Amino acid sequence: NPAISLNTSVEVDFQPGVGITEIRITLSGEAENLDAAGFLAAAQDAKANCPVSKALAAVPITLSVV
């Protein structure tokens, strides 16, 4: 479904000597023919299948859809 609008922010916790310890993604927006539940499901699917998320799998990544 084509996106009408997307707004994404990412916060990363970094500890010297340890590295990245947590990544928090916040997403809001809308897409054609998707209600809130469908948008959330699409966002979760994108996070699970994103090559960057897969590469950073050792770091806890949380997703909030607002």
Side-chain angles (χ1 to χ4, degrees):
N1 296 8
I4 296 169
S5 68
L6 291 176
N7 186 9
T8 306
S9 67
V10 178
E11 296 177 337
V12 176
D13 291 346
F14 178 82
Q15 293 182 348
V18 176
I20 296 173
T21 58
E22 185 178 356
I23 301 169
R24 291 176 301 284
I25 303 167
T26 302
L27 172 68
S28 63
E30 61 180 302
E32 289 183 18
N33 303 314
L34 282 182
D35 61 8
F39 188 84
L40 174 60
Q44 290 172 330
D45 181 62
K47 176 185 168 284
N49 294 299
C50 169
V52 175
S53 292
K54 288 180 178 183
L56 298 172
V59 179
I61 301 174
T62 58
L63 170 66
S64 299
V65 177
V66 296

